[in-house]
Amino acid sequence: MTAKIRSIASAAGHEAQLDLAPRPAHGKLTITEVGKIYDPQGAAVVAVSDCSMDIAAGDFLAIVGPSGCGKSTLVNIIAGFDNLSSGEILLDDAPLATTEQAPRPGSDRVVVFQNGALFPWKSVLDNVMYGPLVQEVMTHREAKRKALDLLRRCGGLDRVAEAYPAQLSSGMQRRVEIVRALMNDPKVLLLDEPFRAMDTVSKTTMHEHLLEMYHVCRKTIVFITHDLEEAIFLADRVVVMTSRPGTIKTTLDVTLPRPRTAALLASEDFRALKAKLSAAVHEEAKRAFERGEREQA
Amino acid sequence: MSSVENTVSKPHPGKALVAGRRSRLRPPNWRGSVAVVGFFLLWEILVRAQVSGFAQIPSPVTVVKVLFTSYLLDPGYWESWLTSFQRVLYGFVLAQLLGIPLGLLLGTRKTFNYLFYPVIELLRPIPPLAWVPLSILFWPTAELSIVFITFIGAFFIIVINVHDAVRHINKEHLWLAQSLGASRGQIFRRIIVPSVIPSIAVGMTLGIAVTWNVVIAAEMIAADSGLGRLTWEGYVSHTGPVVIIGMISIGIAGYLSTLVVDWVEKRMMPWKTR
Ligand SMILES: Nc1ncnc2c1ncn2[C@@H]1O[C@H](COP(=O)(O)OP(=O)(O)OP(=O)(O)O)[C@@H](O)[C@H]1O
Ligand SMILES: [Mg+2]
């Protein structure tokens, strides 16, 4: 892993290092009493309510919760795709989203979506170069060099730089998407169940790639998932959301050391954390299920 | 740890992938050839046996004879081809040139949509051939009225296809482009337009087929030239072989146009591997 980390580090323009990169200066997210009501005049679906969390710059936060509990809604609000109905979100102490302020997406918060959103009509390379080119912060040549470099170090993806997304496996597509996000050097990386549709083996590879990336170019990461093991394995902190309306039920601090490797999955500490998280989540799932039955009746 | 990399997929260089497209050519299908020969044989037999209904229908041998003796070398025959092709070309291309921007506007501009969509919905269900009389009254020349009817045949199809595609654009693509800093104009040019290209292709495929239908019918009704007219004159003058020659010519013409449209569509969508 060490050689690999060094090479990613130099590609991203960081000092080669074996320790976890220091906290970045930017990327502190403060989410205060955020609520979201869809269609307030009509059906008034309360998707998220009274949701507060503080995410320090460079933290890796995972959010787990039953399907439909408002996880994507929260991500979309942070990303600026949707407005919030109450509360506020600050990025580095500056207002990012408030009830007065219209949503405003920006390249400081890039999302990797659950179904994948590479532009199918662009080659891998063009997808990755899209951000810097459209913002005109790099010349074509600079963008190409950086893109190929990042692609190469994320598992040799530069070999498929000229291919179209549809020609890649879903695992490769997802890695390209993460590289595309990283190209913009975002303060916050929002990953909305990026590995949802993947088999366990591919997932493990993806986790390694993601952790290596995090280890070197550390950024604030909000990672949404259904998979409890995934959440614990990757994150510093796991937040459990309740079923609709989504609020925060519990927060679990993951004190496992970094760099993390697959060997960790078998450790006693890991299993203890998983048991704790499972208990919290299953209680919530059961409540959601019972409430669903009541609504049906 | 890095030994696991690339278990996700076989490593394959993108260049080779792009170049290695499967060829369209299929191995020759001998059963198909037998069936085709059988078809013509049966036809010949039915005509020779004077089965009822076949009394006025020429045999394939007669058709081929007439074709070779008085058509293949007749410039008038080829002029009919040219005339029909021109009408299809003008009508079809005009429909794309006006229809694609209109569909894009309907999909992206709310006010424009409120103003014009009802009119389009009102006119769309009218079959192109129902426009024939009005068109003849309106346009100064028969040629213009036929091109207009042909245009109508492809126009609404492309408008509706493009409009629908704009409405169903993957919103995550739009969001991402916004996130990555694209301006409205850039989103339109780099995201919306490429997103609707597959639907433009569908609209073109449907449109070219309708266009040939329409042009042939319009020629039979309202023109004194073209392949449709040729076929119709064959009927009016009781010359069976001409009717068949006309039909076959129209079939070939339609097929050739489809090939051209397919070729154009492939160029429009290099990212579609098949
Ligand atoms: N545009 C919308 N209008 C109305 N209701 C919506 C809208 N988008 C989402 N919802 C509802 O809000 C709730 C939360 O949706 P969201 O997509 O955030 O859930 P999620 O936790 O991401 O679920 P999943 O795990 O299935 O992705 C759901 O009940 C959903 O039906
Ligand atoms: Mg979701």
Side-chain angles (χ1 to χ4, degrees), chain B residues 56-209:
Chain B
Q56 304 218 40
I57 295 186
S59 76
V61 172
T62 324
V63 172
V64 171
K65 243 188 242 160
V66 175
L67 179 69
F68 274 91
T69 51
S70 30
Y71 278 87
L72 281 187
L73 295 173
D74 174 19
Y77 168 69
W78 294 109
E79 242 162 64
S80 303
W81 272 77
L82 195 66
T83 313
S84 293
F85 256 110
Q86 260 171 3
R87 287 168 180 158
V88 166
L89 185 75
Y90 291 150
F92 180 80
V93 170
L94 212 60
Q96 312 308 313
L97 288 182
L98 295 179
I100 293 170
L102 182 64
L104 287 169
L105 274 172
L106 284 172
T108 50
R109 300 284 154 155
K110 246 196 191 125
T111 331
F112 189 87
N113 188 306
Y114 288 149
L115 276 174
F116 291 100
Y117 192 65
V119 183
I120 287 169
E121 277 299 274
L122 196 74
L123 297 180
R124 188 168 68 101
I126 303 172
L129 290 179
W131 288 84
V132 170
L134 189 76
S135 181
I136 294 172
L137 291 176
F138 182 84
W139 295 100
T141 69
E143 201 52 42
L144 279 178
S145 55
I146 289 180
V147 169
F148 174 74
I149 299 159
T150 316
F151 162 83
I152 293 284
F155 178 70
F156 289 108
I157 294 176
I158 193 78
V159 170
I160 295 304
N161 265 286
V162 172
H163 175 222
D164 216 55
V166 177
R167 285 194 308 162
H168 292 109
I169 281 182
N170 186 344
K171 67 175 188 300
E172 290 170 357
H173 284 159
L174 297 178
W175 282 346
L176 237 145
Q178 281 179 348
S179 271
L180 298 183
S183 66
R184 288 182 62 146
Q186 284 166 328
I187 288 179
F188 181 80
R189 274 176 283 126
R190 304 275 206 81
I191 310 293
I192 295 183
V193 170
S195 294
V196 303
I197 285 178
S199 298
I200 293 179
V202 172
M204 281 171 55
T205 305
L206 295 173
I208 196 72

